[in-house]
């Protein structure tokens, strides 16, 4: 069974920085892409950033220039460096892995449990 575990969330003041991490484990044949999503109170879950196996990245307009996603398929790890944080960045951040498992060779999206990021003075 494939599992994703996020870490690195916490409380930070406006203008501060955090780095989130996500580690995938289990029967993994290939990681096709990994991404970060977030869900704020009273809002739907929204896309934040993604990285594919070739190294290309994409970001939501709201975080461009402030957030940076990076990853390593061999290490089954993805990071997101978050700088110049704003109160509107407050949300639960979720890691998503587009992963082909090593048992059935089936390609499925897997989700982590989420990590809370709170930006407040």
């Amino acid at each position: 069974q494939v599992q994703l575990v996020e870490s690195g969330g916490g409380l930070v003041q406006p203008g501060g920085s955090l780095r989130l991490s996500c580690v995938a484990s289990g029967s993994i044949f290939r990681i096709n892409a990994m991404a970060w999503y977030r869900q704020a109170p009273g809002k739907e879950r929204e896309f934040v950033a993604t990285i594919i196996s070739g190294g290309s990245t994409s970001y939501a307009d709201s975080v461009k220039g402030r957030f940076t996603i990076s990853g390593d398929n061999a290490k089954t790890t993805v990071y997101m460096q978050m700088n110049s944080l704003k109160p509107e960045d407050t949300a639960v951040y979720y890691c998503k892995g587009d992963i082909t498992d090593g048992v059935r060779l089936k390609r499925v999206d897997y989700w982590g449990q989420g990590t809370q990021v709170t930006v407040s003075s």
Side-chain angles (χ1 to χ4, degrees):
Q1 184 175 351
V2 175
Q3 297 179 347
L4 303 179
V5 179
E6 303 101 328
S7 62
L11 175 64
V12 65
Q13 296 182 19
S17 298
L18 287 172
R19 187 179 70 173
L20 305 183
S21 300
C22 175
V23 179
S25 63
S27 298
I28 299 171
F29 178 78
R30 179 173 182 152
I31 297 178
N32 306 291
M34 298 188 79
W36 290 97
Y37 287 72
R38 67 186 182 186
Q39 188 166 18
K43 299 182 67 176
E44 296 295 311
R45 189 171 299 186
E46 66 175 347
F47 167 81
V48 177
T50 189
I51 183 168
I52 64 174
S53 61
S56 297
T57 59
S58 182
Y59 299 89
D61 288 342
S62 59
V63 306
K64 285 182 178 178
R66 300 189 297 121
F67 292 9
T68 303
I69 188 171
S70 61
D72 187 329
N73 283 345
K75 297 178 65 175
T76 64
T77 303
V78 65
Y79 304 94
M80 189 162 66
Q81 179 68 42
M82 305 186 296
N83 298 326
S84 302
L85 284 162
K86 305 174 181 179
E88 49 263 47
D89 295 317
T90 295
V92 177
Y93 284 72
Y94 296 91
C95 178
K96 186 187 80 172
D98 174 2
I99 295 171
T100 302
D101 81 275
V103 178
R104 297 290 303 274
L105 299 182
K106 185 175 181 179
R107 184 172 177 174
V108 177
D109 286 342
Y110 296 87
W111 292 87
Q113 82 289 346
T115 185
Q116 176 71 48
V117 172
T118 302
V119 184
S120 176
S121 60

